[in-house]
Amino acid sequence: MSTGLMEEVAAAVAQQKAMERGPVFLPHGSRLFHVPSGWEANMIKHDKAVTSCETLLELEAGLKNPDVKVMFIPLNALMTEQDIEKVCHRNGVTKTLYKEIKGTI
């Protein structure tokens, strides 16, 4: 199995594990999944199909971009969950968001 294929599979497994824990439902159908720091967060963050955003402006740009379906919010991002909810409410689109958190879930 090639390295690229293994990385794709690992990213899919990490996303699936996060989804199994259940979402936080955001306005307009977006879903926020918490991902503990570690291998899961790293695999999602490095997935080519996932857009990372560290600021509210980057989050808003991702929400407005129709090509972006999945976004990753790293632990050091400058936003709270309330901020994320407000931006999702304002943009009226459905996206999947993964937010890295400290510790385990």
Side-chain angles (χ1 to χ4, degrees):
M1 189 180 290
S2 72
T3 303
L5 182 57
M6 287 176 47
E7 288 175 356
E8 285 181 34
V9 170
V13 169
Q15 289 183 32
Q16 185 63 40
K17 284 185 61 80
M19 288 179 169
E20 286 174 359
R21 294 182 198 104
V24 172
F25 293 101
L26 299 171
H28 306 290
S30 289
R31 299 172 301 157
L32 175 66
F33 296 95
H34 294 107
V35 182
S37 291
W39 76 270
E40 291 176 56
N42 285 332
M43 294 312 305
I44 295 171
K45 180 181 0 181
H46 292 104
D47 185 343
K48 293 174 184 154
V50 176
T51 300
S52 287
C53 49
E54 294 187 18
T55 66
L56 288 171
L57 290 174
E58 291 175 351
L59 176 64
E60 187 137 36
L63 289 171
K64 289 181 177 182
N65 185 340
D67 295 330
V68 173
K69 305 292 183 218
V70 180
M71 294 188 291
F72 178 78
I73 302 163
L75 186 60
N76 63 344
L78 302 172
M79 63 186 90
T80 65
E81 286 194 27
Q82 291 79 17
D83 294 332
I84 295 167
E85 186 173 345
K86 286 178 190 175
V87 174
C88 286
H89 190 270
R90 184 170 56 232
N91 284 280
V93 294
T94 301
K95 305 280 180 165
T96 300
L97 295 91
Y98 294 96
K99 184 173 188 325
E100 183 178 14
I101 61 167
K102 268 187 175 178
T104 59
I105 299 174

